[in-house]
Amino acid sequence: EVQLVESGGGLVQPGRSLKLSCAASGFTFSNYYMAWVRQAPKKGLEWVATISTSGSRTYYPDSVKGRFTISRDNAKSSLYLQMNSLKSEDTATYYCARLNYGSYGYWGQGVMVTVSS
Amino acid sequence: DTVLTQSPALAVSPGERVSISCRASEGVNSYMHWYQQKPGQQPKLLIYKASNLASGVPARFSGSGSGTDFTLTIDPVEADDTATYFCQQSWNDWTFGGGTKLELK
Protein backbone atom coordinates (compact mmCIF):
# COMPACT_ATOMS: atom_id res chain seq x y z
CA GLU A 1 0.00 0.00 0.00
CA VAL A 2 1.34 3.39 -1.01
CA GLN A 3 1.73 5.72 1.96
CA LEU A 4 2.93 9.31 2.12
CA VAL A 5 3.27 10.85 5.57
CA GLU A 6 4.13 14.52 5.96
CA SER A 7 5.65 16.12 9.05
CA GLY A 8 7.28 19.34 10.16
CA GLY A 9 4.40 21.77 9.99
CA GLY A 10 3.47 24.33 12.60
CA LEU A 11 3.27 28.00 13.48
CA VAL A 12 6.12 30.19 12.26
CA GLN A 13 6.70 33.94 12.19
CA PRO A 14 6.89 35.85 8.92
CA GLY A 15 10.40 35.88 7.49
CA ARG A 16 11.42 32.69 9.26
CA SER A 17 12.11 29.22 7.84
CA LEU A 18 10.53 25.79 8.11
CA LYS A 19 11.37 22.41 6.63
CA LEU A 20 8.72 19.84 5.75
CA SER A 21 9.39 16.15 5.34
CA CYS A 22 7.46 13.37 3.63
CA ALA A 23 8.14 9.71 4.35
CA ALA A 24 7.16 7.41 1.50
CA SER A 25 6.50 3.69 1.60
CA GLY A 26 4.81 0.95 -0.39
CA PHE A 27 6.50 1.73 -3.72
CA THR A 28 9.93 2.23 -5.28
CA PHE A 29 10.41 5.87 -4.36
CA SER A 30 13.35 6.46 -6.69
CA ASN A 31 11.21 5.63 -9.76
CA TYR A 32 8.81 8.54 -9.39
CA TYR A 33 8.79 12.29 -9.73
CA MET A 34 7.47 13.79 -6.50
CA ALA A 35 5.83 17.08 -5.68
CA TRP A 36 4.44 19.40 -3.04
CA VAL A 37 0.99 20.91 -3.47
CA ARG A 38 -0.62 23.35 -1.05
CA GLN A 39 -4.11 24.51 -0.21
CA ALA A 40 -4.80 27.72 1.67
CA PRO A 41 -7.78 27.59 4.07
CA LYS A 42 -11.04 27.37 2.12
CA LYS A 43 -9.15 27.87 -1.14
CA GLY A 44 -8.11 25.82 -4.15
CA LEU A 45 -5.02 23.76 -4.86
CA GLU A 46 -1.67 25.25 -5.84
CA TRP A 47 1.37 23.43 -7.15
CA VAL A 48 4.43 24.36 -5.08
CA ALA A 49 7.38 22.28 -6.30
CA THR A 50 8.32 19.21 -8.33
CA ILE A 51 11.48 17.10 -8.34
CA SER A 52 12.75 14.53 -10.80
CA THR A 53 13.56 10.94 -9.89
CA SER A 54 17.25 11.60 -9.29
CA GLY A 55 16.74 15.05 -7.82
CA SER A 56 18.76 16.70 -10.58
CA ARG A 57 15.80 18.72 -11.89
CA THR A 58 13.47 20.87 -9.84
CA TYR A 59 10.56 23.07 -10.83
CA TYR A 60 8.76 25.90 -9.02
CA PRO A 61 6.02 28.43 -9.74
CA ASP A 62 6.97 32.10 -9.49
CA SER A 63 5.13 32.43 -6.17
CA VAL A 64 7.78 30.39 -4.32
CA LYS A 65 10.80 30.45 -6.65
CA GLY A 66 13.92 31.56 -4.80
CA ARG A 67 12.34 30.97 -1.38
CA PHE A 68 11.42 27.26 -1.41
CA THR A 69 13.70 24.30 -2.18
CA ILE A 70 12.51 20.78 -2.86
CA SER A 71 14.89 17.86 -2.34
CA ARG A 72 14.82 14.13 -1.90
CA ASP A 73 16.81 11.29 -0.36
CA ASN A 74 16.11 8.15 -2.36
CA ALA A 75 18.02 5.99 0.12
CA LYS A 76 15.60 7.08 2.83
CA SER A 77 12.50 7.26 0.58
CA SER A 78 11.99 10.80 1.78
CA LEU A 79 10.96 14.09 0.23
CA TYR A 80 11.65 17.51 1.70
CA LEU A 81 10.56 21.12 1.29
CA GLN A 82 12.77 23.84 2.72
CA MET A 83 10.74 27.03 3.04
CA ASN A 84 12.58 30.31 3.66
CA SER A 85 11.41 33.92 3.99
CA LEU A 86 7.91 32.74 4.78
CA LYS A 87 4.98 35.08 4.19
CA SER A 88 1.44 35.11 5.53
CA GLU A 89 0.21 33.99 2.11
CA ASP A 90 2.19 30.76 2.51
CA THR A 91 -0.27 29.69 5.20
CA ALA A 92 -1.79 26.46 3.92
CA THR A 93 -2.02 22.71 4.20
CA TYR A 94 0.95 21.24 2.37
CA TYR A 95 0.53 17.88 0.63
CA CYS A 96 3.25 15.55 -0.55
CA ALA A 97 2.18 13.80 -3.77
CA ARG A 98 3.46 11.18 -6.20
CA LEU A 99 3.42 12.03 -9.88
CA ASN A 100 2.55 9.65 -12.69
CA TYR A 101 1.61 10.65 -16.26
CA GLY A 102 1.66 14.22 -14.96
CA SER A 103 -1.11 13.58 -12.47
CA TYR A 104 -0.94 13.28 -8.69
CA GLY A 105 -1.92 9.67 -8.15
CA TYR A 106 -1.24 9.49 -4.44
CA TRP A 107 -1.42 12.17 -1.76
CA GLY A 108 -0.41 12.37 1.86
CA GLN A 109 -2.82 13.52 4.57
CA GLY A 110 -1.24 16.96 4.56
CA VAL A 111 0.50 19.11 7.14
CA MET A 112 -0.59 22.57 8.23
CA VAL A 113 1.76 25.54 8.05
CA THR A 114 0.65 28.81 9.65
CA VAL A 115 2.70 31.94 9.08
CA SER A 116 1.76 34.56 11.64
CA SER A 117 3.32 36.86 14.19
CA ASP B 1 1.00 30.25 -16.97
CA THR B 2 -1.80 28.04 -18.20
CA VAL B 3 -5.00 29.14 -16.48
CA LEU B 4 -7.79 26.61 -15.97
CA THR B 5 -11.34 27.92 -15.59
CA GLN B 6 -14.13 25.97 -13.90
CA SER B 7 -17.69 26.91 -12.95
CA PRO B 8 -17.82 27.55 -9.19
CA ALA B 9 -20.79 25.36 -8.31
CA LEU B 10 -23.41 22.95 -9.60
CA ALA B 11 -26.49 21.36 -8.04
CA VAL B 12 -28.00 18.12 -9.32
CA SER B 13 -30.40 15.45 -8.12
CA PRO B 14 -29.28 11.90 -7.34
CA GLY B 15 -29.59 9.65 -10.37
CA GLU B 16 -29.03 12.45 -12.85
CA ARG B 17 -26.06 12.97 -15.14
CA VAL B 18 -23.73 15.90 -14.49
CA SER B 19 -20.96 17.36 -16.60
CA ILE B 20 -18.26 19.52 -15.05
CA SER B 21 -16.27 21.61 -17.47
CA CYS B 22 -12.71 22.91 -17.46
CA ARG B 23 -11.33 25.34 -20.03
CA ALA B 24 -7.60 25.94 -20.46
CA SER B 25 -6.18 29.29 -21.55
CA GLU B 26 -3.96 27.43 -24.02
CA GLY B 27 -3.82 23.92 -25.42
CA VAL B 28 -2.70 21.19 -23.03
CA ASN B 29 -2.90 18.25 -25.46
CA SER B 30 -4.51 15.44 -23.41
CA TYR B 31 -2.62 16.26 -20.23
CA MET B 32 -5.69 17.11 -18.18
CA HIS B 33 -6.51 15.31 -14.94
CA TRP B 34 -9.45 15.37 -12.52
CA TYR B 35 -9.65 15.10 -8.73
CA GLN B 36 -12.38 14.81 -6.13
CA GLN B 37 -11.92 16.42 -2.72
CA LYS B 38 -14.27 16.03 0.22
CA PRO B 39 -14.07 18.34 3.26
CA GLY B 40 -11.15 17.55 5.53
CA GLN B 41 -9.63 15.06 3.11
CA GLN B 42 -6.82 15.08 0.60
CA PRO B 43 -7.72 15.16 -3.09
CA LYS B 44 -8.30 11.85 -4.87
CA LEU B 45 -7.37 11.24 -8.50
CA LEU B 46 -10.36 10.28 -10.64
CA ILE B 47 -9.24 10.66 -14.25
CA TYR B 48 -5.76 11.04 -15.73
CA LYS B 49 -4.77 12.15 -19.22
CA ALA B 50 -8.25 13.35 -20.08
CA SER B 51 -10.09 10.04 -20.24
CA ASN B 52 -8.31 7.35 -18.26
CA LEU B 53 -10.07 6.09 -15.14
CA ALA B 54 -7.79 5.91 -12.09
CA SER B 55 -7.54 2.66 -10.20
CA GLY B 56 -10.51 1.89 -7.97
CA VAL B 57 -12.67 4.74 -9.31
CA PRO B 58 -16.25 3.73 -10.21
CA ALA B 59 -17.11 3.62 -13.90
CA ARG B 60 -19.81 6.25 -13.22
CA PHE B 61 -16.97 8.74 -13.64
CA SER B 62 -15.63 9.50 -17.12
CA GLY B 63 -13.55 12.18 -18.77
CA SER B 64 -13.36 13.61 -22.26
CA GLY B 65 -11.80 16.42 -24.24
CA SER B 66 -8.54 17.56 -25.73
CA GLY B 67 -6.79 20.81 -26.47
CA THR B 68 -8.49 23.47 -24.37
CA ASP B 69 -11.90 22.06 -23.43
CA PHE B 70 -12.39 19.15 -21.07
CA THR B 71 -15.32 17.55 -19.25
CA LEU B 72 -15.73 15.31 -16.24
CA THR B 73 -19.03 13.41 -16.34
CA ILE B 74 -20.71 11.57 -13.49
CA ASP B 75 -23.58 9.31 -14.53
CA PRO B 76 -25.51 8.57 -12.47
CA VAL B 77 -24.75 10.93 -9.59
CA GLU B 78 -24.92 9.44 -6.10
CA ALA B 79 -25.24 11.18 -2.74
CA ASP B 80 -21.64 10.33 -1.90
CA ASP B 81 -20.45 12.40 -4.89
CA THR B 82 -20.99 15.64 -2.96
CA ALA B 83 -17.52 17.18 -3.14
CA THR B 84 -15.37 19.74 -4.91
CA TYR B 85 -13.90 18.68 -8.23
CA PHE B 86 -10.62 20.10 -9.54
CA CYS B 87 -9.06 19.87 -12.97
CA GLN B 88 -5.26 20.03 -13.33
CA GLN B 89 -2.99 20.28 -16.36
CA SER B 90 0.57 19.03 -16.72
CA TRP B 91 1.40 20.15 -20.29
CA ASN B 92 2.94 23.44 -19.19
CA ASP B 93 4.26 22.97 -15.66
CA TRP B 94 1.36 22.06 -13.38
CA THR B 95 -1.69 24.18 -12.59
CA PHE B 96 -5.12 23.57 -11.10
CA GLY B 97 -8.54 24.95 -11.82
CA GLY B 98 -10.39 26.79 -9.09
CA GLY B 99 -12.69 23.86 -8.39
CA THR B 100 -16.38 23.13 -8.92
CA LYS B 101 -18.45 22.45 -5.81
CA LEU B 102 -21.04 19.79 -6.55
CA GLU B 103 -24.11 19.79 -4.35
CA LEU B 104 -27.02 17.38 -4.42
CA LYS B 105 -30.59 18.62 -4.38
Side-chain angles (χ1 to χ4, degrees):
Chain A
E1 179 193 5
V2 172
Q3 283 200 314
L4 299 169
V5 180
E6 302 95 337
S7 61
L11 174 64
V12 61
Q13 293 179 329
R16 303 298 290 266
S17 298
L18 199 64
K19 186 173 184 177
L20 305 181
S21 300
C22 171
S25 61
F27 65 101
T28 304
F29 181 73
S30 58
N31 285 353
Y32 291 88
Y33 274 52
M34 297 294 296
W36 290 95
V37 176
R38 69 184 178 185
Q39 186 169 34
K42 306 293 186 184
K43 299 294 185 183
L45 299 165
E46 181 187 18
W47 160 62
V48 172
T50 298
I51 189 167
S52 64
T53 52
S54 66
S56 61
R57 287 168 291 184
T58 56
Y59 310 84
Y60 307 92
D62 288 344
S63 58
V64 307
K65 195 175 293 183
R67 298 189 301 122
F68 288 12
T69 302
I70 188 173
S71 62
R72 65 192 296 162
D73 185 336
N74 286 341
K76 295 182 177 180
S77 295
S78 292
L79 180 71
Y80 306 101
L81 184 68
Q82 176 68 46
M83 303 184 292
N84 298 332
S85 304
L86 282 160
K87 307 175 182 180
S88 58
E89 52 262 44
D90 296 319
T91 293
T93 296
Y94 285 73
Y95 295 102
C96 164
R98 190 184 89 172
L99 275 161
N100 199 25
Y101 297 109
S103 64
Y104 303 100
Y106 289 92
W107 300 65
Q109 286 290 110
V111 62
M112 185 68 199
V113 173
T114 303
V115 184
S116 175
S117 54
Chain B
D1 290 5
T2 303
V3 177
L4 303 181
T5 302
Q6 298 181 244
S7 299
L10 284 171
V12 297
S13 299
E16 291 185 345
R17 170 189 172 116
V18 65
S19 293
I20 298 171
S21 65
C22 178
R23 174 162 288 178
S25 60
E26 56 189 325
V28 298
N29 203 312
S30 63
Y31 286 86
M32 185 65 77
H33 321 287
W34 291 93
Y35 302 84
Q36 176 193 67
Q37 187 180 33
K38 297 180 179 180
Q41 296 184 15
Q42 68 271 54
K44 173 187 175 183
L45 178 66
L46 298 175
I47 301 288
Y48 65 96
K49 286 195 71 180
S51 60
N52 296 279
L53 197 65
S55 177
V57 176
R60 302 185 293 105
F61 293 88
S62 63
S64 62
S66 65
T68 60
D69 291 292
F70 296 84
T71 302
L72 171 71
T73 300
I74 311 172
D75 186 16
V77 172
E78 296 182 358
D80 187 53
D81 298 334
T82 299
T84 300
Y85 293 84
F86 293 94
C87 57
Q88 173 246 323
Q89 67 83 25
S90 59
W91 183 247
N92 179 17
D93 283 344
W94 299 264
T95 53
F96 289 89
T100 297
K101 188 172 185 178
L102 181 66
E103 297 180 337
L104 268 64
K105 297 177 184 175

